[in-house]
Amino acid sequence: MTAAITIDPRTLPLTDEDTHTLSKLIAQYNTHLNRNVTRSNYFEGKHKLRRLGLTLPPQLRDLDTIVGWPTQAVTTLEQRLDLDGFVRAGQAETDTTLDEIFTRNNMAIEASQAHTAALVHGTSFVAVTAPAEPGDPAAVITVHSALQATGLWDARHRCLSAGLIVEIHEDSEGTPRRLVVLARDHVTTILLGKNTRPVVETTPHALGRVPMVALSHQPWLEKPFGVSRISRAVMSMTDQAVRCIMRTEAASEFFSFPQRYILGVDKESAGSEMEMYMNRFLAFEKDEDGDLPKIDQLNGQGIQPHIDELRSIAMMFSGETGIPPSFLGIIHDNPASADAIRAGEAKLVKIAERDQVIFGARWCQVANLALHIATGENANPHTLRARWKDASTPTKAAQAQSVMQLVSAGILPPTSEITYELLGYDSTTISRLVAEARKNNSDELFRIAAGAARGTAVPEDKSRERWIHSEEL
């Protein structure tokens, strides 16, 4: 649970500019808090449906029915957003300094969490600060969801003009414990005590920019902080699916035990309603006129209409999110071909590739801030490029064939990091392959030099002639 920020910035010992900035940050945080909590509840499957419909019996109103489609809308896309390091323009190798900083900050996990939070709420925030304790990395990178942070957007400079991090008390109330305000030339920390006056501490910095970056999913002019994957349409369709499943539960009850009726017998002879409902064999005597009671049942409609309705809702959900229907549990009688699978994932892959462009630019800003804090290097962020894994799902055979054709045509060197990346190897395997290739090159050159010294001929290796470069010596 997360509570709103209730402190009045005018009661704090801040400058007029900082007071005005903090007031805007708190107002923006509180304005979007309820909607962010709602989307988090949909993502976690905790949202309680209020409007259940007129056809549900009262006995099923308390039935907990969960549909995990909002979770699928987020995780299916996030699983295609794998940040794989940074490279500088004009260089083929990964930037080792940045790689070390990101490894120390455990960004292989943190980046995935930042992407998930951005897809749930529309945006997430990444803060970069100097080390504060022994053992900290040279630059400390932390990620925050929209429930833990907010910012003010500067449209002219296309970055944040101020940022706010909200640290929550670990209690059931979710009250803020500390506020961290990030500005272009200083960071202000406000410690909020439950029964004590707030403690304010300001620390200057020389970055010349706000040490916080917003990761936004599909931003546009009127919404620079992006839009959530759990849109109003997604929430509405999820509610429809929940109601449909609950109606299916009700229909299955009546279908499993069809309603029976008896003509020509009094209630005392029939027994209780539960006995009539559950008994499989009924025994009655003839009435005083010698006639037997007439027994029959009302057959239910079954659950097939509800299954068809759920399938229809799933298809609309698929069109809204770009997720293939099979990911939502809609299984067709005939398995899809490989071409059909790729065609079904085309929209999702395009969304992922667009997010890689947007997130990549923002991650480069984070990397530049980390370099500035760690080394004092204020490099041009446009010289950095974020490297991503392929968002599509090509087969390994097709991927290997495509790369080998490029190697055979002389477009790709056979032992380059780029070639190994295109083949889908992870960074650890790439490092080992590059080291092994360099070792083999050194052995080959030593053999050539030894043969020349003895005056013996060395067999010519046409396959290696082109790729023995001076940078690999």
Side-chain angles (χ1 to χ4, degrees), residues 139-167:
V140 180
I141 305 174
T142 55
V143 300
H144 309 273
S145 73
L147 294 175
Q148 304 165 336
T150 189
L152 302 179
W153 184 254
D154 185 348
R156 175 180 173 82
H157 297 94
R158 300 174 182 86
C159 62
L160 297 177
S161 62
L164 174 66
I165 300 174
V166 183
E167 297 184 7

Short mmCIF file of all heavy atoms in Angstrom, two decimals, residues 139-167:
data_model
loop_
_atom_site.label_atom_id
_atom_site.label_comp_id
_atom_site.label_asym_id
_atom_site.label_seq_id
_atom_site.Cartn_x
_atom_site.Cartn_y
_atom_site.Cartn_z
N ALA A 139 29.65 4.60 -9.54
CA ALA A 139 28.42 5.35 -9.75
C ALA A 139 27.27 4.43 -9.36
O ALA A 139 27.20 3.29 -9.82
CB ALA A 139 28.28 5.81 -11.19
N VAL A 140 26.38 4.91 -8.49
CA VAL A 140 25.29 4.09 -7.98
C VAL A 140 24.05 4.34 -8.84
O VAL A 140 23.57 5.48 -8.93
CB VAL A 140 24.99 4.41 -6.50
CG1 VAL A 140 23.83 3.55 -6.00
CG2 VAL A 140 26.23 4.20 -5.66
N ILE A 141 23.54 3.29 -9.46
CA ILE A 141 22.37 3.38 -10.33
C ILE A 141 21.21 2.67 -9.64
O ILE A 141 21.32 1.50 -9.27
CB ILE A 141 22.64 2.74 -11.71
CG1 ILE A 141 23.88 3.38 -12.36
CG2 ILE A 141 21.43 2.89 -12.62
CD1 ILE A 141 24.28 2.70 -13.65
N THR A 142 20.10 3.38 -9.45
CA THR A 142 18.90 2.80 -8.83
C THR A 142 17.70 3.04 -9.74
O THR A 142 17.61 4.07 -10.41
CB THR A 142 18.63 3.43 -7.45
OG1 THR A 142 18.55 4.85 -7.57
CG2 THR A 142 19.75 3.07 -6.48
N VAL A 143 16.80 2.08 -9.76
CA VAL A 143 15.59 2.19 -10.59
C VAL A 143 14.38 2.32 -9.67
O VAL A 143 14.35 1.76 -8.57
CB VAL A 143 15.45 0.98 -11.53
CG1 VAL A 143 16.63 0.88 -12.46
CG2 VAL A 143 15.30 -0.31 -10.75
N HIS A 144 13.37 3.06 -10.15
CA HIS A 144 12.18 3.35 -9.34
C HIS A 144 10.95 3.32 -10.23
O HIS A 144 10.98 3.80 -11.37
CB HIS A 144 12.31 4.72 -8.66
CG HIS A 144 13.59 4.93 -7.92
ND1 HIS A 144 13.76 4.54 -6.60
CD2 HIS A 144 14.78 5.46 -8.31
CE1 HIS A 144 15.00 4.84 -6.21
NE2 HIS A 144 15.63 5.40 -7.23
N SER A 145 9.87 2.79 -9.70
CA SER A 145 8.61 2.80 -10.42
C SER A 145 7.90 4.13 -10.19
O SER A 145 8.35 4.97 -9.39
CB SER A 145 7.72 1.64 -9.95
OG SER A 145 7.20 1.91 -8.65
N ALA A 146 6.78 4.32 -10.87
CA ALA A 146 6.00 5.55 -10.69
C ALA A 146 5.34 5.61 -9.33
O ALA A 146 4.82 6.67 -8.94
CB ALA A 146 4.94 5.67 -11.79
N LEU A 147 5.32 4.51 -8.57
CA LEU A 147 4.86 4.53 -7.19
C LEU A 147 5.94 5.00 -6.23
O LEU A 147 5.66 5.26 -5.06
CB LEU A 147 4.39 3.13 -6.77
CG LEU A 147 3.15 2.58 -7.47
CD1 LEU A 147 2.89 1.14 -7.04
CD2 LEU A 147 1.94 3.45 -7.18
N GLN A 148 7.16 5.10 -6.73
CA GLN A 148 8.29 5.49 -5.88
C GLN A 148 8.97 6.77 -6.34
O GLN A 148 9.87 7.25 -5.64
CB GLN A 148 9.33 4.36 -5.88
CG GLN A 148 8.78 3.01 -5.45
CD GLN A 148 9.71 1.88 -5.81
OE1 GLN A 148 10.53 1.99 -6.72
NE2 GLN A 148 9.60 0.76 -5.09
N ALA A 149 8.58 7.32 -7.47
CA ALA A 149 9.27 8.49 -7.99
C ALA A 149 8.38 9.22 -8.98
O ALA A 149 7.38 8.67 -9.48
CB ALA A 149 10.59 8.10 -8.66
N THR A 150 8.75 10.46 -9.27
CA THR A 150 8.10 11.25 -10.31
C THR A 150 9.09 12.30 -10.77
O THR A 150 10.19 12.43 -10.22
CB THR A 150 6.80 11.89 -9.80
OG1 THR A 150 6.09 12.47 -10.90
CG2 THR A 150 7.09 12.97 -8.77
N GLY A 151 8.72 13.05 -11.78
CA GLY A 151 9.62 14.08 -12.31
C GLY A 151 8.85 15.12 -13.09
O GLY A 151 7.67 14.94 -13.45
N LEU A 152 9.52 16.24 -13.35
CA LEU A 152 8.97 17.32 -14.17
C LEU A 152 9.69 17.32 -15.50
O LEU A 152 10.93 17.29 -15.55
CB LEU A 152 9.13 18.67 -13.47
CG LEU A 152 8.49 18.80 -12.07
CD1 LEU A 152 8.77 20.18 -11.49
CD2 LEU A 152 6.99 18.53 -12.14
N TRP A 153 8.93 17.35 -16.60
CA TRP A 153 9.51 17.23 -17.92
C TRP A 153 9.85 18.58 -18.52
O TRP A 153 9.04 19.51 -18.48
CB TRP A 153 8.56 16.48 -18.84
CG TRP A 153 9.11 16.21 -20.20
CD1 TRP A 153 8.78 16.82 -21.36
CD2 TRP A 153 10.13 15.26 -20.52
NE1 TRP A 153 9.52 16.30 -22.40
CE2 TRP A 153 10.36 15.34 -21.91
CE3 TRP A 153 10.86 14.33 -19.77
CZ2 TRP A 153 11.29 14.53 -22.56
CZ3 TRP A 153 11.79 13.54 -20.43
CH2 TRP A 153 11.99 13.64 -21.80
N ASP A 154 11.05 18.70 -19.05
CA ASP A 154 11.51 19.90 -19.75
C ASP A 154 11.46 19.61 -21.25
O ASP A 154 12.32 18.92 -21.78
CB ASP A 154 12.94 20.24 -19.31
CG ASP A 154 13.44 21.55 -19.90
OD1 ASP A 154 12.78 22.08 -20.83
OD2 ASP A 154 14.50 22.05 -19.45
N ALA A 155 10.42 20.13 -21.92
CA ALA A 155 10.23 19.83 -23.33
C ALA A 155 11.33 20.43 -24.20
O ALA A 155 11.68 19.86 -25.23
CB ALA A 155 8.86 20.33 -23.79
N ARG A 156 11.89 21.56 -23.79
CA ARG A 156 12.92 22.21 -24.60
C ARG A 156 14.19 21.37 -24.65
O ARG A 156 14.77 21.16 -25.73
CB ARG A 156 13.23 23.60 -24.06
CG ARG A 156 14.37 24.30 -24.78
CD ARG A 156 14.63 25.68 -24.17
NE ARG A 156 15.81 26.30 -24.74
CZ ARG A 156 15.84 26.95 -25.89
NH1 ARG A 156 14.74 27.05 -26.62
NH2 ARG A 156 16.96 27.49 -26.34
N HIS A 157 14.62 20.88 -23.49
CA HIS A 157 15.87 20.11 -23.42
C HIS A 157 15.63 18.60 -23.49
O HIS A 157 16.59 17.83 -23.47
CB HIS A 157 16.62 20.45 -22.12
CG HIS A 157 17.05 21.87 -22.03
ND1 HIS A 157 16.29 22.86 -21.41
CD2 HIS A 157 18.16 22.51 -22.51
CE1 HIS A 157 16.92 24.02 -21.50
NE2 HIS A 157 18.05 23.83 -22.16
N ARG A 158 14.36 18.18 -23.56
CA ARG A 158 13.99 16.77 -23.69
C ARG A 158 14.57 15.91 -22.57
O ARG A 158 15.13 14.83 -22.81
CB ARG A 158 14.41 16.23 -25.07
CG ARG A 158 13.76 16.97 -26.23
CD ARG A 158 14.32 16.48 -27.56
NE ARG A 158 13.72 17.22 -28.67
CZ ARG A 158 14.17 18.38 -29.14
NH1 ARG A 158 15.22 18.95 -28.57
NH2 ARG A 158 13.57 18.98 -30.14
N CYS A 159 14.44 16.42 -21.37
CA CYS A 159 14.91 15.68 -20.20
C CYS A 159 14.13 16.19 -18.98
O CYS A 159 13.27 17.07 -19.10
CB CYS A 159 16.42 15.86 -20.00
SG CYS A 159 16.93 17.57 -19.71
N LEU A 160 14.45 15.64 -17.82
CA LEU A 160 13.78 16.08 -16.60
C LEU A 160 14.39 17.37 -16.10
O LEU A 160 15.61 17.56 -16.11
CB LEU A 160 13.89 14.99 -15.52
CG LEU A 160 13.22 13.65 -15.81
CD1 LEU A 160 13.50 12.67 -14.67
CD2 LEU A 160 11.73 13.82 -15.99
N SER A 161 13.51 18.28 -15.64
CA SER A 161 14.00 19.50 -14.99
C SER A 161 14.10 19.33 -13.49
O SER A 161 14.75 20.13 -12.81
CB SER A 161 13.07 20.67 -15.32
OG SER A 161 11.76 20.43 -14.83
N ALA A 162 13.46 18.31 -12.95
CA ALA A 162 13.54 17.99 -11.52
C ALA A 162 13.01 16.58 -11.32
O ALA A 162 12.19 16.09 -12.10
CB ALA A 162 12.76 18.99 -10.67
N GLY A 163 13.47 15.94 -10.27
CA GLY A 163 13.03 14.58 -9.97
C GLY A 163 12.76 14.41 -8.49
O GLY A 163 13.32 15.14 -7.66
N LEU A 164 11.90 13.47 -8.16
CA LEU A 164 11.56 13.19 -6.77
C LEU A 164 11.54 11.69 -6.54
O LEU A 164 10.88 10.95 -7.29
CB LEU A 164 10.19 13.79 -6.42
CG LEU A 164 9.63 13.44 -5.03
CD1 LEU A 164 10.50 14.08 -3.93
CD2 LEU A 164 8.18 13.90 -4.90
N ILE A 165 12.26 11.22 -5.53
CA ILE A 165 12.25 9.83 -5.11
C ILE A 165 11.55 9.75 -3.76
O ILE A 165 11.87 10.51 -2.84
CB ILE A 165 13.68 9.25 -5.01
CG1 ILE A 165 14.38 9.32 -6.38
CG2 ILE A 165 13.66 7.82 -4.50
CD1 ILE A 165 15.84 8.91 -6.33
N VAL A 166 10.60 8.84 -3.64
CA VAL A 166 9.82 8.69 -2.41
C VAL A 166 10.15 7.34 -1.80
O VAL A 166 9.88 6.29 -2.40
CB VAL A 166 8.30 8.78 -2.71
CG1 VAL A 166 7.50 8.69 -1.41
CG2 VAL A 166 7.97 10.07 -3.46
N GLU A 167 10.74 7.37 -0.63
CA GLU A 167 11.03 6.13 0.11
C GLU A 167 9.93 5.91 1.13
O GLU A 167 9.55 6.82 1.87
CB GLU A 167 12.40 6.21 0.79
CG GLU A 167 13.55 6.33 -0.20
CD GLU A 167 14.89 6.31 0.48
OE1 GLU A 167 14.92 6.06 1.72
OE2 GLU A 167 15.92 6.53 -0.19
#
